[in-house]
Amino acid sequence: MNFTRWSARLPRTQRRTAARTDRGARRPQPAAAGGGSGSVPAARGERSDPSDRGEPPPSGAAGPFPEDGIPAAVPTLDGLSVHDVLGQVPALVAVVYGPDHRIAYVNESYTAIFGARTPGASARQALPELQELGLLPLMDQVLRSGRPRTVKSRRVLGARAGTAPVAVAETEAEAAGSVAEGTVAQGSGSHGPASVAGRGRHGYYTFTCSPIEMAPPAPAPAPAAAVTSGAADAPADAIALGAAPEQPSIPDPGASGAPGAPDGAPLRGVLVFGADVTDQVEAAERLRASERLQRQAAVTLQRSLLPQELEQPDDLRVAATYQPGGTDAAVGGDWYDVITLGAGRTALVIGDVMGRGVRAAAVMGQLRTAVRAYARLDLPPHEVLQLLDGLAAEIDPNQIATCVYAVHDPNENRLVYASAGHLPILVRDPDGTVRRAAEPTGPPLGTGSWLHTSASIPFGPGSSAVLYTDGLVERRDKDIYEGVAALERVFAGATGAPQVMCDRLIRALGITADHDDDVAVLVLQHPARTGHDAELFHNAALELLGGVEAAPRARAFASGVLASWRFPMELHDLGVLAASELVANSLQHGVPPMRLRLRRTDRRLIIEVTDGDEHLPRRRRAEPADEAGRGISIVATIASSWGSRRTPGGGKAVWCEFALPAG
């Protein structure tokens, strides 16, 4: 009785009970043991269920899945043969048996790549590709242990028409270069003989070797029957896909019957399964190539924002090194710079923008550009950092940066610096003693509403100093100041030119290409000059005392000094004129104390006048009727460069430079 049409009228509990009763009455009984093979579901396109076509089921018929979700009959796979299964697999399949790995079966995909193989032949002679792929030792392990083994992404070269197949044992990492060279890769899918006829193909395969047991071949039939039964196919037809025991015993090779097994005993063998992973390998290589290009572009961007060539001051020797961290495309914000300020003074800068990525590099580039602009104002270090602090807050309030700005004046033999949350400068004296500059003189840039201060550290002839970012000394498992202490020990013994010292510090601190943080190092030396080099560097100074008589005294002093330095007459006269104009300007607009200083290096002549007034002169256009205002214009016209700055103790310094002739 069919309750379907009446179930809507029954209460829920009664409806379920009636449905179960109806299904029990209609459910077919399972076939008797030893009967025919189990039913096999029809192909999707051959299903006769009218429900698939939108038709109502015939009266009295139940669907394949009743309401409780349990099918009326479960199909079995007993009727499928090994040939049907392995022959349709779009992968390389080979079955071998015995300790010699004799061939029992290879599927069409295997023969399409490597060619036909003779059943019963030893794999070492008949399957040379397995030897070249390094699979034979693996198959020995599988046969001994009874456990499967896998090798990933081995490169396989297909055979051209009329040639022998080739197999190349190559891992995925080694295959990367081959894919990048533009070789044609074999795609996934089935591999029939027609698909490779007349041309060579190659791909990448992951091979799995699994232990199996096979039924031994039947006793040899009569000669007449042997001709019609296809005895060569017997080992393949007898393959059983059951798992091998955990520790199986190896059959006696000397027994009769099949090689490597006594009569009636199951044959132990290996199923070699090669899955095509060409698409995955090529996709991974394309991803790696894309990452390499992105990283190259990121590092190029980072390096383009750094100085392409460091300025080389007259009184210092400097060198710097930058090494990007990690292998990803995210660059850091480490940077450095060397800026000549004029009058022999040099600014040295190093900084670190927190974080990684293009945003950090962009902030770094803006800060470096701003530092160079502020440096032209010749401000004290703490005022430069104060301006940078406001700029960093405007660029990105969430981006924090550290920075050290130091100024070297050869007349004072000191480094005057300001630090915005950066690691301390290290200075090594001529005797090898390493001194650490004081703690940061202010918070990191971008915090706002803080006042920075300047400090100083002695830096005389023969001394060296190193400025660095945290990537050089910071480690995940150690305190950062342990790294600073290690740098002090290495720096104490580092000798040689600045670039040599940079490289030694990098190596000694264990910085490699795989280091996970960017590293910037800036080394400067104040050489102690002797002999001929010392003759090229001179200083002379005169205190300007008195009133108007100071001007002729300054001219006479400048003339005598320049003559003793053996300058050409033209340069001598220009130097005297510039000294006279600067002294006259200071006498008219400045206040005592006043001083005239002349300094020569191997490349330039520097004339500087200081006084106690903080008002900085500026160049202006003088009218024909004006009796004053032409001094700075004259100096700017005849000198290579000129400038002015406020001095730390109050007052100002006005200077000009003349480039010395080569040779």
Side-chain angles (χ1 to χ4, degrees), residues 172 289 329 381 408 618 639 661 663:
E172 181 177 357
H408 174 256
R618 61 185 178 86

Side-chain angles (χ1 to χ4, degrees), residues 235-251:
D237 291 335
I239 299 173
L241 298 181
E246 183 67 19
Q247 294 295 334
S249 59
I250 301 176

Side-chain angles (χ1 to χ4, degrees), residues 84-453:
D84 292 337
V85 175
L86 300 184
Q88 298 298 323
V89 172
L92 310 182
V93 176
V95 178
V96 298
Y97 63 94
D100 293 336
H101 304 302
R102 297 186 178 275
I103 302 174
Y105 172 79
V106 292
N107 70 347
E108 289 188 9
S109 298
Y110 194 98
T111 58
I113 298 298
F114 297 112
R117 295 294 184 262
T118 303
S122 173
R124 297 186 183 276
Q125 287 76 33
L127 301 177
E129 61 273 5
L130 299 185
Q131 179 72 28
E132 296 173 3
L133 288 166
L135 295 182
L136 288 182
L138 198 69
M139 294 161 60
D140 292 336
Q141 296 178 17
V142 171
L143 201 61
R144 288 194 302 267
S145 66
R147 296 180 180 178
R149 296 289 188 271
T150 299
V151 291
K152 296 182 178 181
S153 305
R154 294 299 177 97
R155 187 180 181 210
V156 173
L157 300 180
R160 294 185 181 272
T163 62
V166 181
V168 179
E170 188 172 23
T171 63
E172 181 177 357
E174 295 167 340
S178 301
V179 176
E181 292 172 1
T183 54
V184 179
Q186 173 179 328
S188 59
S190 62
H191 312 286
S195 64
V196 294
R199 62 190 181 96
R201 303 186 64 176
H202 82 269
Y204 297 89
Y205 290 80
T206 292
F207 288 93
T208 299
C209 300
S210 300
I212 60 172
E213 286 189 354
M214 293 174 284
V227 174
T228 60
S229 62
D233 295 333
D237 291 335
I239 299 173
L241 298 181
E246 183 67 19
Q247 294 295 334
S249 59
I250 301 176
D252 182 10
S256 61
D263 290 337
L267 295 175
R268 298 176 62 246
V270 178
L271 171 66
V272 181
F273 186 91
D276 190 347
V277 294
T278 303
D279 292 343
Q280 295 91 317
V281 171
E282 291 182 338
E285 172 54 27
R286 287 193 296 267
L287 179 60
R288 285 191 292 267
S290 176
E291 290 176 347
R292 285 194 297 268
L293 291 176
Q294 292 180 16
R295 176 172 172 78
Q296 182 179 1
V299 172
T300 301
L301 169 64
Q302 171 79 345
R303 293 190 183 278
S304 67
L305 296 174
L306 295 174
Q308 302 304 301
E309 184 177 354
L310 286 180
E311 298 182 24
Q312 295 295 329
D314 295 354
D315 295 274
L316 296 177
R317 296 174 183 169
V318 296
T321 294
Y322 169 76
Q323 179 170 314
T327 57
D328 55 4
V331 296
D334 294 17
W335 58 285
Y336 56 84
D337 209 346
V338 177
I339 308 168
T340 54
L341 302 177
R345 302 166 69 251
T346 306
L348 305 118
V349 197
I350 197 164
D352 185 5
V353 178
M354 301 304 174
R356 297 175 66 82
V358 176
R359 181 60 182 170
V363 173
M364 177 271 288
Q366 294 177 77
L367 291 179
R368 176 176 173 260
T369 302
V371 166
R372 295 194 69 87
Y374 296 149
R376 299 306 175 191
L377 302 176
D378 215 340
L379 299 172
H382 67 276
E383 293 189 23
V384 172
L385 291 190
Q386 204 68 44
L387 293 172
L388 280 180
D389 180 63
L391 178 63
E394 293 177 5
I395 294 174
D396 189 346
N398 299 320
Q399 197 81 53
I400 304 300
T402 63
C403 181
V404 169
Y405 183 90
V407 175
H408 174 256
D409 190 335
N411 298 312
E412 299 179 359
N413 291 328
R414 300 183 69 84
L415 278 177
V416 181
Y417 68 93
S419 173
H422 203 81
L423 294 169
I425 302 173
L426 300 183
V427 175
R428 188 185 67 186
D429 294 334
D431 60 358
T433 303
V434 177
R435 289 178 289 111
R436 186 184 302 183
E439 294 299 315
T441 60
L445 303 176
T447 55
S449 68
W450 291 86
L451 291 177
H452 294 79
T453 58

Side-chain angles (χ1 to χ4, degrees), residues 326-589:
T327 57
D328 55 4
V331 296
D334 294 17
W335 58 285
Y336 56 84
D337 209 346
V338 177
I339 308 168
T340 54
L341 302 177
R345 302 166 69 251
T346 306
L348 305 118
V349 197
I350 197 164
D352 185 5
V353 178
M354 301 304 174
R356 297 175 66 82
V358 176
R359 181 60 182 170
V363 173
M364 177 271 288
Q366 294 177 77
L367 291 179
R368 176 176 173 260
T369 302
V371 166
R372 295 194 69 87
Y374 296 149
R376 299 306 175 191
L377 302 176
D378 215 340
L379 299 172
H382 67 276
E383 293 189 23
V384 172
L385 291 190
Q386 204 68 44
L387 293 172
L388 280 180
D389 180 63
L391 178 63
E394 293 177 5
I395 294 174
D396 189 346
N398 299 320
Q399 197 81 53
I400 304 300
T402 63
C403 181
V404 169
Y405 183 90
V407 175
H408 174 256
D409 190 335
N411 298 312
E412 299 179 359
N413 291 328
R414 300 183 69 84
L415 278 177
V416 181
Y417 68 93
S419 173
H422 203 81
L423 294 169
I425 302 173
L426 300 183
V427 175
R428 188 185 67 186
D429 294 334
D431 60 358
T433 303
V434 177
R435 289 178 289 111
R436 186 184 302 183
E439 294 299 315
T441 60
L445 303 176
T447 55
S449 68
W450 291 86
L451 291 177
H452 294 79
T453 58
S454 294
S456 65
I457 186 171
F459 190 68
S463 300
S464 301
V466 58
L467 291 75
Y468 51 95
T469 58
D470 58 358
L472 181 65
V473 295
E474 187 175 25
R475 301 296 181 270
R476 297 183 184 275
D477 56 343
K478 295 181 181 179
D479 183 79
I480 189 170
Y481 282 99
E482 293 183 21
V484 175
L487 177 61
E488 288 181 354
R489 293 190 293 270
V490 174
F491 188 44
T495 57
Q499 189 60 58
V500 174
M501 294 178 66
C502 283
D503 297 339
R504 288 181 177 177
L505 295 179
I506 291 287
R507 290 196 305 269
L509 272 295
I511 307 301
T512 63
D514 297 330
H515 190 58
D516 60 355
D517 195 5
D518 292 21
V519 176
V521 180
L522 177 63
V523 172
L524 55 146
Q525 295 177 342
H526 187 186
R529 294 180 173 86
T530 58
H532 176 70
D533 288 344
E535 294 296 323
L536 300 178
F537 291 81
H538 291 286
N539 282 284
L542 173 67
E543 299 294 333
L544 300 176
L545 304 176
V548 294
E549 68 275 7
R553 189 163 59 250
R555 286 194 294 270
F557 174 77
S559 178
V561 169
L562 297 179
S564 66
W565 289 349
R566 300 179 181 178
F567 284 146
M569 184 57 64
E570 180 182 1
L571 181 59
H572 172 276
D573 294 342
L574 292 176
V576 171
L577 176 59
S580 176
E581 292 295 336
L582 292 180
V583 169
N585 185 77
S586 181
L587 291 174
Q588 183 175 356
H589 301 287

